[in-house]
Amino acid sequence: MEEHQEKIYLYPTPLRIWHWLHAFSIITLLVTGAELRFPEYVQLLGNYKASVRVHNAAGIVVGVSFVVWFIYYAFMKRNLFSIYIPSKEDIRHGMVRQALFYGFQYFRGEPNPHQVTLDNKFNALQKTAYMGVMLLLVPLVVVTGVLLMNVAFLRDMVLAVGGLNFLIGLHWLLACAFLAFLVVHLYLSTLGHTPWAHFIPIWTGWEEVEGHPKEDV
Amino acid sequence: MHKTLRGFLLLCAVSLALSVIGPGGLLPAFAWDDDDCVGCHGDPSIAEEGGAYLYVDPARFEQTSHADVGCTSCHDSVTDDHPEDDQRPSRAGCGECHDDVEAEYAESSHSESADCTDCHNPHNVRPLVGVSAVEVNRTCMECHGEEDVVASHGVWLPQTTLHIRSMPCIACHTASEEFTVTFYVESVTHGMSLDPTASPATHDQLMAMANEKEGVASILDGDGDERISIEELRTFYQKAKARDMRLWGMMTPEQVTHDFTTLDNRWDCSFCHARGPETLQESFVALPGPHGGYERIPVESNAVLGALYGSPDFYMIGATRSKVLTLLGALIVLGGLAVPVFHGTVRLLTMRYRRREK
């Protein structure tokens, strides 16, 4: 890393803790969830009861951390919407521009059209994807999970939303969407100016600003 | 009422005549007939003559295999003067005819705690499939209160209440190796709590939904072919919803043993949950007859594996997953995988080009 490079403190510590807590819990959920649904094929913990307990615990962690995250951004920082909801500009131009970048310009080695700043962390596609994940997938998977953890006690609600089988089906499809997101998310993270470039800031907090003229590759 | 009275008077007259003529007289010796006994003991008013325990529900008794045995096989010491003779008629021990069950039960430690008649009414015995799982649990819960059971099992059993309500105790406390799913019609009362209280729908409640002529089975088996199709289930759900009824699925054992042991494998969730969809292919709907006993009708075998309509409210994790949804999920994951695969390939192919550019 060269000295003259510009760095910004992109991800403050609480946010990074939250990110990795989420990442760890979601991977745990995916693994134990696979064991719960396909016990004859997946036996990582090897003990069904343990899988249930771990799955429940990890689910509670994600649920609580989601609520904390939401309250923090929506009510304390009050910038949930500017971070996660694509702006008109994003919708009109940003998405196409970003898609063109990933689809063509990237292969030609051209720089990312989106300039990371403190107020504008995510490009238009990221915004859309994270909005989908954080404001749709996570809440839905948490709500279905809470219902599934308390089937007997919340029976009336389970029935009101369409019954146990519907809930299970939804929970399962959401989990698959999570896995798909995770794969894409990890892959796109390797598209920085070096394969690790995007991983470092979410670990250390500091982002080397991309598109800088003297950038090394 | 009149008929009973007439029967009673007739009986008295006959008894009188017999006692006048005496044993070895002109008429053959008097022999009790079940109808004679039922004439008195099958009339609820007999409770006034000594207690409710004297009443034997004739409609229920008639349906049991014990009716074939007959009252006097078990109460063989009833004298001709009964009930004026002040003698308590004998009661046969169950072991006289069920010696195998008795021997098996005698070996279990439970035999110190309960007798056959604590769990069985000899005048209302039914085979395993003729008893609903809820009734079995009610029997056990007379001594093992639900709260105690939930508390003691909750130490190791997740979703305890759900488990206890979704199978009879004997699913875990006998040695049955085979299980099916049996659906019962429940009538649901929604109160203030989110956990509605449900009780098994009675025959009368179901007849209100049924076709009078074809009987109670017609609420589900519309075409009378003695099988319930998914289509018929769907029609039923639509009708039942308006009446606050639903099907409640329970995992039921196919055999009952009287050792009341707790096999080690019942500790292990995977005994039920981890065998995949092969475990519970068969399912039934059990409907109450007019006099208590249940009869079951088979459901198309994939009812519990259907995505939505087969059994909207029954799901046994690890055992009844739907294939369709599994495939749909796999497609979603594959969609995600396509991104790194395609993009990554192009990325690799164009790597050299990007290097030269710099």
Side-chain angles (χ1 to χ4, degrees):
Chain A
M1 243 171 259
E2 285 166 43
E3 239 111 288
H4 60 263
Q5 252 193 307
E6 205 183 313
K7 284 187 169 186
I8 55 173
Y9 191 52
L10 193 59
Y11 304 122
T13 309
L15 192 140
R16 278 177 289 139
I17 293 177
W18 172 81
H19 174 269
W20 288 109
L21 191 69
H22 239 178
F24 180 72
S25 319
I26 284 174
I27 290 171
T28 310
L29 284 166
L30 286 171
V31 170
T32 49
E35 182 157 0
L36 294 181
R37 190 172 174 94
F38 306 105
E40 13 26 315
Y41 304 117
V42 185
Q43 279 143 16
L44 281 158
L45 287 184
N47 175 333
Y48 206 78
K49 203 181 297 171
S51 308
V52 172
R53 297 248 148 100
V54 173
H55 194 81
N56 287 352
I60 291 170
V61 169
V62 169
V64 170
S65 95
F66 173 78
V67 172
V68 170
W69 171 87
F70 187 82
I71 292 174
Y72 180 70
Y73 277 98
F75 301 112
M76 288 160 74
K77 298 265 289 198
R78 291 167 189 274
N79 62 356
L80 182 75
F81 294 99
S82 68
I83 296 184
Y84 288 95
I85 309 282
S87 64
K88 265 197 197 130
E89 163 66 17
D90 287 331
I91 294 170
R92 227 175 283 146
H93 307 293
M95 290 206 200
V96 180
R97 200 188 315 131
Q98 206 61 37
L100 281 176
F101 167 71
Y102 286 129
F104 298 102
Q105 287 142 348
Y106 169 82
F107 297 122
R108 310 217 314 249
E110 287 171 24
N112 192 330
H114 176 254
Q115 189 78 41
V116 175
T117 66
L118 274 180
D119 301 324
N120 196 5
K121 292 185 201 178
F122 302 138
N123 69 46
L125 284 185
Q126 275 174 315
K127 272 190 193 174
T128 319
Y130 292 158
M131 176 185 69
V133 171
M134 291 311 296
L135 299 181
L136 198 71
L137 279 193
V138 178
L140 270 179
V141 92
V142 167
V143 168
T144 50
V146 167
L147 287 174
L148 290 174
M149 275 175 78
N150 302 283
V151 183
F153 180 64
L154 301 176
R155 177 64 65 180
D156 254 1
M157 275 165 97
V158 171
L159 290 174
V161 298
L164 192 52
N165 252 332
F166 174 79
L167 264 187
I168 294 268
L170 186 60
H171 197 74
W172 152 251
L173 293 179
L174 288 168
C176 292
F178 259 105
L179 183 55
F181 167 78
L182 188 66
V183 169
V184 176
H185 179 65
L186 283 174
Y187 177 73
L188 292 184
S189 304
T190 67
L191 293 187
H193 56 289
T194 71
W196 288 108
H198 288 329
F199 289 97
I200 292 161
I202 195 65
W203 187 252
T204 64
W206 291 93
E207 163 101 357
E208 297 170 26
V209 176
E210 235 185 290
H212 198 269
K214 287 261 171 79
E215 218 174 40
D216 52 9
V217 176
Chain B
M1 198 66 211
H2 286 302
K3 216 168 162 191
T4 333
L5 196 67
R6 220 180 314 139
F8 182 71
L9 291 175
L10 192 73
L11 205 80
C12 293
V14 170
S15 314
L16 197 71
L18 277 172
S19 58
V20 169
I21 296 165
L26 296 173
L27 287 172
F30 172 73
W32 287 97
D33 189 307
D34 280 11
D35 290 339
D36 304 331
C37 316
V38 166
C40 291
H41 288 282
D43 184 339
S45 67
I46 192 158
E48 292 156 22
E49 305 201 33
Y53 77 103
L54 292 173
Y55 175 65
V56 174
D57 185 336
R60 285 179 186 226
F61 179 73
E62 220 166 81
Q63 289 193 325
T64 67
S65 17
H66 280 179
D68 301 337
V69 173
C71 308
T72 45
S73 307
C74 293
H75 301 289
D76 58 0
S77 77
V78 180
T79 63
D80 295 353
D81 298 333
H82 177 80
E84 258 75 61
D85 58 359
D86 275 347
Q87 283 184 31
R88 253 190 116 184
S90 63
R91 296 158 204 83
C94 312
E96 286 173 32
C97 302
H98 299 287
D99 48 347
D100 47 344
V101 178
E102 188 183 49
E104 183 182 39
Y105 187 56
E107 285 197 8
S108 92
S109 62
H110 206 275
S111 60
E112 288 158 25
S113 311
D115 288 332
C116 308
T117 47
D118 286 323
C119 296
H120 295 286
N121 174 348
H123 309 126
N124 188 18
V125 291
R126 278 176 267 139
L128 181 58
V129 294
V131 181
S132 73
V134 172
E135 288 173 289
V136 171
N137 279 359
R138 254 189 228 143
T139 308
C140 308
M141 283 173 187
E142 267 168 38
C143 300
H144 303 284
E146 180 167 14
E147 270 173 41
D148 294 344
V149 173
V150 169
S152 69
H153 291 64
V155 174
W156 58 274
L157 182 65
Q159 306 253 12
T160 320
T161 312
L162 182 65
H163 271 103
I164 298 295
R165 290 186 195 167
S166 306
M167 68 185 106
C169 312
I170 52 169
C172 294
H173 291 299
T174 67
S176 184
E177 293 289 332
E178 283 169 74
F179 296 89
T180 53
V181 178
T182 309
F183 292 96
Y184 302 93
V185 186
E186 280 190 342
S187 116
V188 187
T189 324
H190 305 270
M192 295 295 284
S193 145
L194 288 166
D195 177 13
T197 46
S199 49
T202 61
H203 181 78
D204 290 344
Q205 277 174 312
L206 296 181
M207 278 313 285
M209 291 170 74
N211 179 331
E212 198 69 45
K213 261 184 268 151
E214 287 158 38
V216 71
S218 66
I219 63 167
L220 275 141
D221 183 17
D223 58 8
D225 65 351
E226 290 179 15
R227 290 192 70 77
I228 295 169
S229 66
I230 301 294
E231 201 44 53
E232 284 169 335
L233 273 180
R234 192 187 316 199
T235 318
F236 171 78
Y237 290 132
Q238 284 157 2
K239 272 194 289 181
K241 203 157 189 194
R243 294 166 191 262
D244 260 335
M245 292 203 193
R246 67 171 183 218
L247 283 190
W248 182 250
M250 293 177 86
M251 182 181 160
T252 47
E254 285 290 272
Q255 296 92 31
V256 56
T257 58
H258 282 77
D259 44 10
F260 296 107
T261 51
T262 312
L263 293 182
D264 277 349
N265 59 17
R266 265 55 166 186
W267 279 97
D268 181 1
C269 310
S270 42
F271 175 73
C272 296
H273 290 283
R275 291 199 292 186
E278 278 74 43
T279 335
L280 285 167
Q281 286 284 352
E282 268 194 297
S283 52
F284 299 88
V285 176
L287 297 170
H291 307 296
Y294 277 74
E295 242 177 273
R296 60 184 201 177
I297 315 172
V299 185
E300 242 176 44
S301 56
N302 55 0
V304 289
L305 303 181
L308 291 178
Y309 277 110
S311 53
D313 209 24
F314 181 89
Y315 184 81
M316 237 176 95
I317 190 166
T320 65
R321 61 176 180 258
S322 134
K323 248 189 204 131
V324 178
L325 286 175
T326 299
L327 281 178
L328 209 59
L331 280 182
I332 295 178
V333 175
L334 283 179
L337 278 174
V339 172
V341 169
F342 289 117
H343 200 273
T345 311
V346 181
R347 188 178 175 186
L348 271 178
L349 293 176
T350 56
M351 192 140 81
R352 224 196 265 149
Y353 174 67
R354 274 198 303 286
R355 276 216 191 100
R356 224 179 294 135
E357 190 94 325
K358 287 281 142 169

